[in-house]
Amino acid sequence: MVPVVLLLSACVTPPQSQEPEVSLESFYDQELALEPCETPVQTGDVLIPGECGHVEVPIDYENPDVGTAQIAVFRIPATGTEPIGSLFINPGGPGLPGIGYSADVAHAWVNSPVTEQFDLVGFDPRGTGTSTPAIDCYTDGERDDDALAASLLSLPDSRPLVDACADSVGGVDVLAHLGTRDAAQDLDVLRAVFGDDSLSYLGVSYGTRLGAVYAEMFPENVRALVLDGAMDPHTGTQERNVSQWAGLQHGFESLAEFCATQGECPLGTHADTATETYQQLVRPLLETPLPAGEGRELSYTAANDGVVMGLYSAEFWPLVIAGLTELAAGRGDTLLWLRDLYHERSPDGSYANSAEATVAIDCLDEDRFSPAGQAELVGAALTAAPFLDPGTPVKGAPALCEGWPVEPTLGFPYATDIEGLPPTLTVSVTGDPVTPHQGGISLAETLGGSLLTVEGAQHGSVISGSECIDSVVAAYLVDLTTPPADETCRL
């Protein structure tokens, strides 16, 4: 639902915690040449001035000589004359590129003390966006045929995922080094190369996991962490998925309640029967997709993905209602448009690699399941979110990451009992349909940091335009002032 030539040389030694067996000084001490971006970076129709470049990192930090990756970066200079340093930004996913999102942040905070005091640095984590090598598992045609889906917990494609992805990154060995712990080490190299003695960071959604893992691995290098739309570091894969799908159901029911107040509602006038009404609307698509313009069709999976995209923010609810009204009339244009927005499909039919990178990264972060275990997970998720239930038997499916070259490397729980960590700020929306509010409470407690509670119904909130949220975040990032324990903002 992913910039004047400036040479930066940082004589910063690698962190002493978890010092690698092989010297990494050459990566920490590299010079970075930033140049005007070949492709202008913009948010909407607004061009964001800045500079682009790449930072070289080892694919395997324990064996740096086996190969390197290039992390794409985008620096937006501070508007003030004496910046504090860099603010590194990650939008989540986990496969979303950060360069475009950093432009969104710069635009949203154009008059903020944050953009005055910090150079904003967007980066595409390893395997994503314009970094190389980048994950690219499926053709655009396969993506059009729902090879990956937001509303499914298994892959409909018959090819093992490892085979589909390995060729794009030069073999299965690279797939062993795309996880969050690898990305956290990359982030520490970025910090050093950009000349920052300590890290200031904004992470959204999965970006909160990356920030928390960085804090676990490099607590002595942390200055400030803003973690928005948090993932709970204590919940394993099954519990997290079921909790997330319960959040989607709650979001769907909130949508249904809103719809019932808008006159003619395709979900009916009673929210308690909206799930059944929705199933009656979409389940026929399992057998007969609907035309959706430009020679395309709306499938059952695509319709669900479109609705899931619409649950990320209440601003999308009118579009979902319009799409369901069209669906009842035999058309699928609006829901397919929402589905394409979620999957980053361009007008020319090409796809970004975010969804593919997300699955590949998850194969190194999340728990693994047997076919029977996968079926149990799917059944539990559908029980939590019955509006997404196709009404067909749940069958055992091959393990999503079958054949992956290594076991998961993240481990649950993570980021616990960190010594010497400075104060952090977690921002959590009470009605977040994707990362439930309890996860934000848990992350703040785990890190021993502050929590800003936001009353609302959307996923993430730091660039929502709320003056209340903006002032709390700016005070923390600029002055390291944390809010009172009961601080609450409203959307």
Side-chain angles (χ1 to χ4, degrees):
M1 23 114 183
V2 29
V4 169
V5 174
L6 177 65
L7 294 177
L8 298 174
S9 178
C11 297
V12 181
T13 59
Q16 308 217 344
S17 60
Q18 296 196 3
E19 185 174 355
E21 296 178 4
V22 183
S23 173
L24 298 174
E25 280 88 350
S26 62
F27 296 100
Y28 277 83
D29 294 343
Q30 67 185 286
E31 293 186 352
L32 173 65
L34 298 177
E35 300 178 346
C37 302
E38 292 184 7
T39 302
V41 180
Q42 61 188 73
T43 177
D45 295 328
V46 179
L47 293 177
I48 303 299
E51 297 173 316
C52 291
H54 290 84
V55 173
E56 189 172 53
V57 297
I59 288 174
D60 181 351
Y61 276 84
E62 293 187 358
N63 298 287
D65 56 344
V66 302
T68 60
Q70 302 290 326
I71 306 301
V73 296
F74 175 54
R75 174 181 171 273
I76 305 168
T79 59
T81 57
E82 296 183 5
I84 293 171
S86 306
L87 176 65
F88 293 88
I89 298 170
N90 181 275
L96 291 173
I99 288 177
Y101 185 70
S102 66
D104 296 340
V105 173
H107 182 59
W109 289 352
V110 64
N111 296 315
S112 168
V114 177
T115 50
E116 179 183 358
Q117 295 291 326
F118 288 92
D119 300 331
L120 303 188
V121 178
F123 62 99
D124 295 351
R126 58 170 60 201
T128 76
T130 54
S131 293
T132 57
I135 289 288
D136 184 14
C137 309
Y138 298 106
T139 67
D140 293 334
E142 288 173 318
R143 295 294 304 278
D144 275 346
D145 292 336
D146 301 322
L148 293 171
S151 56
L152 295 174
L153 288 176
S154 58
L155 294 179
D157 190 89
S158 59
R159 285 188 295 155
L161 181 68
V162 65
D163 292 343
C165 300
D167 290 345
S168 66
V169 293
V172 294
D173 291 343
V174 177
L175 299 181
H177 301 286
L178 295 173
T180 296
R181 294 194 178 278
D182 301 288
Q185 291 186 292
D186 293 344
L187 183 54
D188 198 55
V189 172
L190 294 179
R191 172 199 61 76
V193 171
F194 274 86
D196 290 86
D197 292 332
S198 55
L199 179 80
S200 297
Y201 173 83
L202 166 62
V204 180
S205 193
Y206 159 83
T208 66
R209 173 180 284 180
L210 177 58
V213 170
Y214 182 91
E216 175 194 316
M217 296 175 68
F218 305 104
E220 71 280 11
N221 292 343
V222 171
R223 175 186 176 273
L225 302 178
V226 177
L227 307 172
D228 178 33
M231 298 179 74
D232 190 335
H234 290 272
T235 59
T237 299
Q238 174 140 347
E239 182 182 354
R240 183 180 62 79
N241 275 284
V242 172
S243 175
Q244 184 179 69
W245 280 51
L248 292 175
Q249 181 68 28
H250 178 75
F252 174 80
E253 291 168 359
S254 298
L255 161 70
E257 291 174 359
F258 170 79
C259 183
T261 69
Q262 303 301 301
E264 295 210 9
C265 172
L267 295 173
T269 56
H270 300 287
D272 56 352
T273 59
T275 290
E276 182 180 353
T277 302
Y278 177 77
Q279 292 171 340
Q280 292 170 353
L281 277 172
V282 297
R283 283 181 177 177
L285 296 172
L286 289 164
E287 300 295 334
T288 309
L290 287 179
E294 299 181 1
R296 299 176 66 199
E297 292 182 327
L298 179 74
S299 68
Y300 173 80
T301 298
N304 280 337
D305 278 12
V307 172
V308 168
M309 175 68 213
L311 298 181
Y312 271 66
S313 172
E315 293 181 358
F316 286 122
W317 289 358
L319 282 173
V320 176
I321 294 168
L324 293 175
T325 301
E326 287 179 359
L327 182 61
R331 296 289 306 182
D333 301 72
T334 300
L335 289 182
L336 188 63
W337 182 86
L338 284 167
R339 176 264 181 201
D340 287 349
L341 181 65
Y342 184 94
H343 287 279
E344 299 177 279
R345 186 184 191 270
S346 299
D348 65 3
S350 62
Y351 284 83
N353 74 334
S354 301
E356 293 147 299
T358 291
V359 176
I361 294 167
D362 280 347
C363 282
L364 284 170
D365 279 5
E366 302 294 346
D367 298 324
R368 304 274 173 86
F369 296 94
S370 66
Q374 186 73 20
E376 180 182 348
L377 170 60
V378 171
L382 292 176
T383 298
F387 83 100
L388 294 173
D389 189 345
T392 55
V394 175
K395 299 178 180 179
L400 185 65
C401 303
E402 183 177 1
W404 219 257
V406 295
E407 293 299 307
T409 55
L410 176 62
F412 297 103
Y414 55 86
T416 60
D417 302 320
I418 302 173
E419 296 184 1
L421 181 65
T424 61
L425 175 62
T426 299
V427 184
S428 183
V429 179
T430 55
D432 191 321
V434 181
T435 50
H437 180 52
Q438 184 58 43
I441 296 173
S442 176
L443 180 60
E445 291 177 347
T446 300
L447 297 179
S450 297
L451 174 69
L452 173 62
T453 298
V454 179
E455 295 182 357
Q458 67 181 48
H459 179 45
S461 62
V462 291
I463 61 169
S464 61
S466 164
E467 292 184 7
C468 177
I469 299 170
D470 289 350
S471 64
V472 172
V473 171
Y476 170 68
L477 284 174
V478 175
D479 300 319
L480 298 178
T481 301
T482 56
D486 59 351
E487 187 77 9
T488 300
C489 295
R490 294 171 179 81
L491 292 175

